[in-house]
Amino acid sequence: MKRNTRLVRDGRGSDYATGMVNVPVYHASTIVFDSVAGLREAVRHRNERVLYYGRRGTPTQWALCDALAELEGGAGCMLYGSGLAAITGALMAFVEAGDHILMTDSVYEPTRTFCDLALRKLGVETTYYDPMIGSGIAELMRPETRLVFTESPGSLTFEIQDLPAIAAAARERGALVLNDNTCASPLNFRPLDHGADVVIHSLTKYVVGHSDAMLGAAIANEATLDRLRRGTFLHGHAAAPDDCYLALRGLRSLGPRMERHAQTALTLARWLKARPEVARVLHPALPDCPGHELWRRDFTGASSLFAVQLKEHPEAAVAAMLDGYEHFGIGFSYGGFESLVLPSNPAGARTATKWAAPLIRFHAGLEDPDDLIEDLEKGFERFAAAR
Ligand SMILES: *Cc1c(COP(=O)(O)O)cnc(C)c1O
């Protein structure tokens, strides 16, 4: 089955939906058993898919897990209350005091903060590495290196990593590879096929797709699923059924939405690249993006995000440009139907590599591209007036 067909069908098994098109939203904490024997049976299988207690999931969560595991080609999936909780939950499932981990310097900043504050306090040491390191990662590995964390494209700076090369080096030394695949969406890249052991998504972004829920997932291969599941249950992670329903609903239209996001983003990126005010556009599908060749090799598409570096300008000019946009909201996150813009300065969140200039990140929404370009054009008029 091809991908849009899968997106329509996955997670709609008859055992969950009982004839309805969509899986019902089960609100549950207590599960009442018929007998003491029934309760004991559930306890025995509580790490498997039995109704045991609301925190361990109901068919609403299981349907979403099935769909995501299928999309990513994994053995199973765990859900979390946010994307960041999925990242910290997965990390905590695999590390212990005395371990060392390798973290890409392009990582989502709250992931970095978790390593620097929480993991450090627990006796887990983090070394940041150049996202473009490839097989050179081998030189940073120590006997106690437990895992290598990857994220591609980087959330602000868009480097594409050589995951197969990194995974081969990690595997040789017995380290696991985790990948935050949020930016690519589950449609444009399949990290498990390229050597990752666990792939993580902030479902908040493209999967929910409507800026109205927080949710995360980690999908594991056969070798790591049991450890991920036990670690996740141990920490009490749970995902709310209404939000799981929104994620399932989002999945049904993910294919056409991503196609539209991608088309519009590339149109805007190319238009911006031709502007005299622009020094550089970072978009994985454009040849000057670091790792563009790897993107061509490993990815099946682009998403909604790209960044622009402006030529020398006063800071007030950027504020004048962004404040007046009619269609680009100023805000965090991405993946919703509405366009967004975010001024950022990645320089402050780099330790292994240097980043020179501030960037403006755009999320291309589902609006008509002509209206968005007109908005950008008027923005440059304000930019010029404020210089
Ligand atoms: C947004 C994001 C997260 C965090 O997800 P939340 O659902 O906001 O907690 C993690 N990684 C990446 C790459 C993201 O873009």
Side-chain angles (χ1 to χ4, degrees):
M1 261 186 278
K2 292 197 171 168
R3 106 186 170 177
N4 282 308
T5 314
R6 285 218 320 265
L7 285 169
V8 166
R9 294 175 57 113
D10 288 349
R12 285 179 47 211
S14 55
D15 40 340
Y16 299 150
T18 52
M20 286 164 281
V21 170
N22 292 294
V23 179
V25 180
Y26 290 99
H27 284 271
S29 56
T30 299
I31 309 296
V32 179
F33 300 96
D34 287 344
S35 62
V36 172
L39 177 117
R40 287 195 177 132
E41 183 69 8
V43 171
R44 210 166 15 251
H45 297 285
R46 67 188 179 281
N47 284 327
E48 300 157 34
R49 209 167 263 191
V50 295
L51 280 171
Y52 168 71
Y53 181 56
R55 198 175 58 229
R56 304 265 176 148
T58 73
T60 310
Q61 283 87 9
W62 299 339
L64 178 59
C65 284
D66 283 356
L68 292 170
E70 185 73 34
L71 262 179
E72 287 287 2
C77 166
M78 299 305 295
L79 298 173
Y80 307 81
S82 72
L84 184 59
I87 293 164
T88 64
L91 284 169
M92 289 300 290
F94 297 109
V95 295
E96 59 186 45
D99 284 351
H100 170 245
I101 67 170
L102 289 166
M103 179 66 59
T104 177
D105 211 28
S106 54
V107 76
Y108 179 67
E109 202 175 346
T111 305
R112 175 185 286 268
T113 309
F114 178 79
C115 295
D116 293 349
L117 300 184
L119 287 187
R120 185 172 163 202
K121 200 164 70 180
L122 298 174
V124 176
E125 190 189 342
T126 304
T127 299
Y128 294 92
Y129 66 87
D130 181 342
M132 305 309 291
I133 200 167
S135 56
I137 196 83
E139 284 157 39
L140 298 180
M141 303 210 44
R142 307 175 191 167
E144 68 275 21
T145 304
R146 196 64 52 227
L147 63 87
V148 182
F149 195 99
T150 58
E151 182 179 320
S152 175
S155 22
L156 293 174
T157 45
F158 297 94
E159 298 94 334
I160 302 292
Q161 297 196 256
D162 193 343
L163 184 58
I166 291 172
R171 183 140 303 148
E172 203 170 293
R173 286 158 189 83
L176 298 175
V177 176
L178 274 56
N179 176 278
D180 182 342
N181 198 30
T182 304
C183 280
S185 91
L187 298 190
N188 292 331
F189 185 46
R190 296 233 304 178
L192 299 180
D193 292 350
H194 291 89
D197 297 285
V198 179
V199 49
I200 299 161
H201 281 283
S202 165
L203 305 175
T204 309
K205 312 290 169 56
Y206 293 114
V207 172
V208 167
H210 295 72
S211 307
D212 52 2
M214 305 290 306
L215 207 61
I219 299 107
N221 61 15
E222 199 70 54
T224 55
L225 178 61
D226 193 51
R227 261 185 296 166
L228 177 71
R229 185 192 286 125
R230 286 172 194 280
T232 301
F233 283 153
L234 188 69
H235 285 97
H237 288 288
D242 289 307
D243 294 341
C244 293
Y245 181 85
L246 290 174
L248 278 163
R249 177 195 277 223
L251 272 182
R252 308 304 172 208
S253 62
L254 184 62
R257 283 191 290 111
M258 288 308 293
E259 275 170 39
R260 179 62 181 262
H261 283 307
Q263 269 173 17
T264 303
L266 201 53
T267 302
L268 300 185
R270 290 198 169 117
W271 185 88
L272 283 159
K273 201 169 153 61
R275 290 291 305 197
E277 301 87 345
V278 170
R280 193 177 179 201
V281 176
L282 291 167
H283 184 302
L286 297 180
D288 45 357
C289 188
H292 169 71
E293 290 308 318
L294 301 170
W295 179 81
R296 288 180 70 104
R297 186 190 70 188
D298 295 344
F299 284 59
T300 53
S303 51
S304 68
L305 291 174
F306 63 93
V308 168
Q309 180 188 327
L310 294 171
K311 291 181 186 159
E312 200 106 2
H313 61 274
E315 220 173 286
V318 173
M321 181 167 87
L322 269 53
D323 287 352
Y325 282 144
E326 192 179 345
H327 302 300
F328 294 91
I330 301 170
F332 294 108
S333 197
Y334 53 85
F337 52 83
E338 81 293 5
S339 288
L340 292 171
V341 65
L342 182 72
S344 76
N345 193 352
R350 293 263 169 167
T351 49
T353 54
K354 281 210 164 15
W355 192 268
L359 296 174
I360 300 172
R361 187 181 76 183
F362 288 91
H363 158 63
L366 303 178
E367 302 91 342
D368 283 304
D370 290 350
D371 289 328
L372 297 177
I373 285 179
E374 194 186 321
D375 208 15
L376 293 176
E377 195 148 31
K378 287 182 184 157
F380 281 123
E381 288 167 17
R382 290 189 297 278
F383 181 78
R387 295 192 67 146

